[in-house]
Amino acid sequence: MIKDKFKRLFADDRRFKTRLLLAALVSFSCAFTFVIFGLLDLYISNASNFIFGFYDLFWTTLLAGLAVFVVLTALLVIFRGTAFNIAVSVVLGGVVAGYVQGNFLNIDFGELTGDAIMWSDYTKHAIINAAIWVAIIGACVALCLFAKKAWSKVVYIVPALLIAMQLVGLVSSYFTADSRDMFHSGNLYLSETGVYEVSDQDNVIVFILDRLDGLYIDDLQETYPGFLDPLDGFTYYDNHISMYCRTFPSVVNMLTGYTYNYDYPPVDFFDKAWGDSKILNALRDNNYTTKLYFSEKYCYSNARQLADVADNAIAGETRVDHYRTLKKMAKLSLYRYAPHFAKPRFWVSSDEFGDLVFSTRTEPRHVTNDLAFYKKLVSNRLAVQSDKNNFAFYHLQGSHPKYTYNENLEPIAKAKESRDGMLAQTRGAFKILYEYMNQLKALGLYENATIIITGDHGKSEDFNPLDRAKRTGFFLKPKGSSGTPLALSHAPTSHENFQATLAAAAGLDAKPFGTPMGDIAENADITRTFYYRVDLKTGDKSHFLEQFEVRGDASDFTNWTKVGQIDMKYIHG
């Protein structure tokens, strides 16, 4: 009896070619949707955020799609009869469900900045979402079992329609995308050249600890009294704010003074700002090196933009790790198309794409990696050059999740975003700086060095309009101030004072750049500007900047006045 049912299940009077054609069509719709279209559409839609070019991904994506197509087709044609129909229906149902998921059912979790997503808050949505998947796949299977005539048409029409619609969309996106983001040109890259080199003359050194929120500093001091004592000769400005709430465009603004309201393409902003960085040009004109160690896409889109302002932007060919690039993009595609309950497995942070490009020269391409920086600092140690004064700008991960190391600078494989994780990594980041400063002291160069430790911004909670004060930690050690304990200033300062502070530290005329922080009195009546980016989950105008004016104590949100709101036309970073 069972044997007869099994035979009927696999009984099939169709020719092999007929089953092969159907299996191939459904398999190609799967490979095209989740691999070819999935990866390439994600790239084109977010090209300005990737450090590799379109054709660095294109050919490997086609090969991967072809492999999925061949393997899936081979698996399907193993079946015959009703079993074949069910298998084809399950695959087609999965493709349709994935398409619906990727285009209509996803919740906007915001930019992939590394911030943890509280998946447990979406349990109800996960259940409803899973039910929709079951319903779609179940409908396809039911159709093949109880409405074979309709199924025989649907199974050809639906995959062909999906392929056609997505192909048209992909071609349209390709030809309308900004080619400057899509196709990388030139043979320059930002290298590690001079990263552990200081001067026996003047040194002006800046450390950016990403997301060094003022509340993090308060928490650190309260939880670990005395931890900041090694900041010999420093002053902590506890009434300091950044101008922006994210690395882009904050870092560029700090070094160029250019503001950006997301109202024109980011690549044009990078071109304009770096092409007119008056403070960096002034430093170079006064015999300073200008070495910039920060991340591509957040701080520049092509190393050619830094050719005239960064000594470590050097000529050389770069290559892409195609296998790892394909793997990361495939994971990102699955994150988009997977049902909600499966998304945590495919969640990926944008910082995971930063090391996919490498240099063929002995000078490695710069990639932000705190532990690698520390390891080489300890093993190589600081070297001294006598040709020029030294200006170096280091951007470290600092307090920003994903948390990848602890207070002992030990790597953490799967750290969760938490207060303890933040405190541990922030302590670890400061220990890197303590090691650097101890080496400066050993060389006899600490006393006459100017050192700045700050964040590019504070913590962003940008699914909602700003509802609390956002200070950014700022520590300044002026030249000649060593031998004194950490001091405290309540002066109303902001990143708008950053360039003037650099100019004063280098002995230049600071007036063209504003007021140095050391010249601002604690009771000064100054109006500071802050732009807060908001990415709402729904709405036609869900991305906008809130503009605030801040007077007095920045830790008191009643001193923050919203004066405007700007719709964002170009989403980046």
Side-chain angles (χ1 to χ4, degrees):
M1 189 75 174
I2 296 176
K3 187 176 182 180
D4 291 340
K5 288 184 177 180
F6 187 78
K7 285 183 177 180
R8 287 197 297 272
L9 182 64
F10 282 87
D12 201 327
D13 57 1
R14 291 172 293 190
R15 293 182 302 170
F16 174 77
K17 288 184 178 179
T18 301
R19 289 189 293 112
L20 177 62
L21 175 62
L22 181 54
L25 179 60
V26 173
S27 296
F28 187 70
S29 71
C30 180
F32 189 83
T33 298
F34 299 138
V35 182
I36 298 174
F37 177 84
L39 273 64
L40 297 182
D41 180 66
L42 278 171
Y43 177 86
I44 295 172
S45 301
N46 302 278
S48 63
N49 293 312
F50 293 113
I51 64 173
F52 48 88
F54 178 78
Y55 286 109
D56 294 321
L57 177 69
F58 180 74
W59 297 110
T60 50
T61 297
L62 289 188
L63 289 174
L66 177 62
V68 171
F69 162 67
V70 170
V71 171
L72 187 55
T73 301
L75 289 175
L76 287 177
V77 295
I78 292 175
F79 298 95
R80 295 168 56 86
T82 303
F84 172 79
N85 294 348
I86 292 174
V88 167
S89 299
V90 169
V91 173
L92 179 58
V95 174
V96 173
Y99 176 83
V100 172
Q101 179 76 48
N103 290 278
F104 306 107
L105 300 181
N106 281 333
I107 292 176
D108 186 358
F109 293 112
E111 303 293 321
L112 298 172
T113 58
D115 294 287
I117 297 172
M118 299 303 293
W119 299 104
S120 59
D121 293 344
Y122 301 96
T123 302
K124 182 179 178 180
H125 172 78
I127 294 172
I128 296 173
N129 186 254
I132 293 173
W133 272 73
V134 171
I136 292 174
I137 296 174
C140 290
V141 173
L143 200 64
C144 90
L145 293 176
F146 305 111
K148 291 184 179 180
K149 188 174 182 180
W151 177 86
S152 63
K153 294 180 180 179
V154 168
V155 80
Y156 284 101
I157 294 173
V158 171
L161 190 61
L162 287 175
I163 293 168
M165 289 191 303
Q166 292 177 113
L167 180 61
V168 170
L170 189 64
V171 172
S172 176
S173 297
Y174 176 86
F175 284 107
T176 56
D178 193 325
S179 61
R180 294 171 300 176
D181 293 326
M182 293 267 288
F183 309 110
H184 297 192
S185 59
N187 63 343
L188 290 177
Y189 69 96
L190 198 66
S191 72
E192 293 283 345
T193 303
V195 66
Y196 302 112
E197 190 174 78
V198 293
S199 173
D200 62 1
Q201 302 173 53
D202 284 337
N203 290 282
V204 179
I205 302 163
V206 178
F207 291 104
I208 303 295
L209 301 185
D210 205 323
R211 197 181 282 193
L212 189 63
D213 195 288
L215 289 179
Y216 293 174
I217 299 299
D218 295 344
D219 200 353
L220 185 65
Q221 290 180 306
E222 292 172 7
T223 308
Y224 301 99
F227 179 78
L228 297 177
D229 288 352
L231 293 176
D232 175 13
F234 278 84
T235 296
Y236 173 45
Y237 289 80
D238 70 347
N239 189 14
H240 184 85
I241 66 170
S242 58
M243 179 172 278
Y244 291 93
C245 66
R246 289 196 177 187
T247 300
F248 174 86
S250 183
V251 168
V252 181
N253 168 260
M254 291 173 71
L255 287 167
T256 68
Y258 272 75
T259 57
Y260 182 62
N261 292 332
Y262 297 82
D263 50 344
Y264 58 96
V267 64
D268 291 332
F269 168 64
F270 287 132
D271 284 344
K272 183 188 297 185
W274 291 124
D276 188 29
S277 177
K278 293 181 174 59
I279 185 60
L280 293 177
N281 289 328
L283 289 169
R284 291 167 78 87
D285 290 343
N286 284 272
N287 200 40
Y288 274 85
T289 65
T290 51
K291 299 176 296 185
L292 310 178
Y293 304 102
F294 46 41
S295 299
E296 188 174 350
K297 295 305 178 184
Y298 292 104
C299 303
Y300 65 101
S301 61
N302 191 307
R304 63 171 173 74
Q305 294 157 339
L306 305 174
D308 296 326
V309 294
D311 292 352
N312 55 314
I314 64 175
E317 182 184 2
T318 56
R319 294 181 181 175
V320 175
D321 187 329
H322 294 285
Y323 172 74
R324 291 182 59 239
T325 298
L326 179 66
K327 187 177 178 181
K328 294 290 185 183
M329 290 298 294
K331 189 176 180 182
L332 190 60
S333 178
L334 289 171
Y335 177 75
R336 174 183 181 182
Y337 289 109
H340 182 87
F341 72 85
K343 287 188 184 298
R345 296 185 180 184
F346 305 116
W347 181 84
V348 60
S349 174
S350 58
D351 61 10
E352 295 181 34
F353 292 82
D355 62 349
L356 299 176
V357 177
F358 60 94
S359 168
T360 57
R361 286 185 53 167
T362 55
E363 298 89 343
R365 176 181 170 275
H366 175 71
V367 176
T368 299
N369 186 319
D370 292 12
L371 293 182
F373 176 78
Y374 175 72
K375 184 178 180 180
K376 291 181 180 179
L377 175 65
V378 172
S379 60
N380 296 353
R381 304 194 68 79
L382 296 178
V384 181
Q385 55 88 8
S386 303
D387 297 331
K388 290 185 175 183
N389 300 312
N390 175 57
F391 171 73
F393 186 97
Y394 302 93
H395 183 275
L396 302 180
Q397 185 180 355
S399 304
H400 198 298
K402 299 174 19 177
Y403 298 128
T404 57
Y405 60 91
N406 62 20
E407 66 275 12
N408 298 316
L409 295 167
E410 298 166 334
I412 300 174
K414 294 183 179 180
K416 295 182 180 180
E417 183 178 349
S418 64
R419 171 181 173 272
D420 290 342
M422 176 277 293
L423 287 173
Q425 185 159 297
T426 302
R427 290 168 67 199
F430 269 94
K431 286 187 177 181
I432 296 174
L433 308 191
Y434 293 162
E435 173 63 28
Y436 191 104
M437 291 186 287
N438 285 337
Q439 291 192 27
L440 276 179
K441 290 180 178 180
L443 293 169
L445 299 174
Y446 185 81
E447 165 69 13
N448 290 323
T450 298
I451 304 174
I452 292 173
I453 302 169
T454 185
D456 44 1
H457 56 86
K459 182 179 181 181
S460 293
E461 300 156 303
D462 40 17
F463 273 152
N464 299 293
L466 186 62
D467 60 1
R468 76 166 180 87
K470 295 283 184 180
R471 294 174 296 133
T472 297
F474 197 104
F475 299 84
L476 171 63
K477 179 211 163 293
K479 181 178 181 180
S481 66
S482 63
T484 58
L486 177 64
L488 179 64
S489 172
H490 302 301
T493 60
S494 80
H495 280 356
E496 292 181 80
N497 306 112
F498 182 75
Q499 292 185 83
T501 303
L502 292 184
L508 309 179
D509 181 9
K511 289 182 181 179
F513 304 101
T515 306
M517 290 177 61
D519 292 349
I520 299 176
E522 294 201 4
N523 60 353
D525 185 11
I526 294 175
T527 300
R528 293 165 284 173
T529 301
F530 180 80
Y531 294 97
Y532 189 70
R533 172 174 168 172
V534 180
D535 297 302
L536 299 180
K537 296 180 181 180
T538 58
D540 294 334
K541 295 182 178 180
S542 57
H543 301 276
F544 55 87
L545 290 179
E546 295 183 305
Q547 182 179 352
F548 288 86
E549 289 184 350
V550 185
R551 298 183 67 178
D553 182 4
S555 66
D556 183 352
F557 193 55
T558 61
N559 293 328
W560 293 62
T561 303
K562 183 175 177 178
V563 296
Q565 183 167 303
I566 305 165
D567 291 330
M568 296 167 58
K569 296 180 180 179
Y570 293 85
I571 312 303
H572 180 76

